[in-house]
Amino acid sequence: MMKHKLLAVTILLFSFLGMKAQQVEKQSQLGVNYLEYIPSSKQTQEKLPLLIFLHGMGERGNDLNMVKFHGPPSFLDDRKDFPFICISPQCPDTIYWNEALLLPFYKEIISKYPVDKNRIYITGLSMGGFGTWASILAKPDLFAAAIPICGGGDTIQLERIKSLPIWVFHGAKDDVVPIARSVEMVETLKKLGSKVKFTIYPEATHNSWTETYNNPAIYDWFLQQKKK
């Protein structure tokens, strides 16, 4: 009997050790649905970098499984060692990403999780790329770095983020969001003295995000950025 109990405990222990840090469906106090990922290898009291992911227009609604179509949420259910708290909100299908929705959400998330406030990062694709630009322009002192993909924004306000590390991605043959939208942001920033990075995929159309989010270099780059 003792041997059977010992075997059961051993199996349970190995099962626990092999558990994956899967994404969990949550709802904020503001009513925003989101996916939560916390690395399983980290202690909850440890301050961790935060990565916010904003999805595109096609993933709006009230089904969080749709948010898993692209970007970090598409692979995080199979990862336990991703070195960020990753928060992926879902935009209602009646609106677009906007500061009125996102800024209070960010504030709640930062107060709720063990976030290193010097290492808060944001990225998004298409509509989420626009949301990324809008977020860093609205609250530039919140973020340590940003990666907007096939998006665009208001060039008039770019003075506010000229010192922020930004890496822009876009497909040269994008037939949904013209690459000119990213070009004008990058060129204006460079004129302001920004060290913005710009990667163009010569043959890519609108989907310039799959190759980007599959590239480990972007996550290494994020982790190298820290607010001063």
Side-chain angles (χ1 to χ4, degrees), residues 16-172:
F16 175 78
L17 292 174
M19 287 176 62
K20 297 177 180 177
Q22 293 184 328
Q23 295 170 102
V24 179
E25 296 188 1
K26 297 277 188 174
Q27 185 177 70
S28 75
Q29 295 178 357
L30 301 166
V32 178
N33 296 322
Y34 67 96
L35 293 172
E36 166 205 281
Y37 172 92
I38 301 176
S40 62
S41 59
K42 303 295 183 181
Q43 299 297 321
T44 54
Q45 67 269 25
E46 180 183 352
K47 297 293 185 181
L48 298 172
L50 169 65
L51 178 62
I52 297 166
F53 168 71
L54 302 181
H55 63 72
M57 186 180 298
E59 291 74 63
R60 293 180 302 170
N62 56 11
D63 180 2
L64 280 167
N65 285 317
M66 297 173 66
V67 180
K68 296 183 179 183
F69 287 169
H70 306 294
S74 68
F75 60 75
L76 285 180
D77 280 341
D78 298 318
R79 293 281 300 273
K80 59 182 179 181
D81 59 345
F82 194 61
F84 306 84
I85 295 172
C86 187
I87 300 297
S88 307
Q90 185 172 36
C91 184
D93 57 11
T94 54
I95 61 173
Y96 305 103
W97 291 126
N98 61 80
E99 301 94 303
L101 172 72
L102 289 172
L103 294 185
F105 175 74
Y106 299 154
K107 183 177 181 180
E108 180 181 336
I109 291 299
I110 292 166
S111 67
K112 182 176 180 180
Y113 293 94
V115 172
D116 181 343
K117 294 181 181 179
N118 291 320
R119 296 189 295 167
I120 298 175
Y121 312 111
I122 186 168
T123 183
L125 62 93
S126 194
M127 184 184 79
F130 283 89
T132 298
W133 283 113
S135 293
I136 60 178
L137 284 167
K139 196 71 172 175
D141 58 336
L142 180 64
F143 302 99
I147 293 183
I149 303 173
C150 58
D154 183 3
T155 59
I156 297 176
Q157 302 184 60
L158 290 181
E159 176 80 23
R160 293 166 56 83
I161 57 171
K162 65 180 183 180
S163 299
L164 182 70
I166 303 170
W167 192 351
V168 181
F169 291 82
H170 216 120

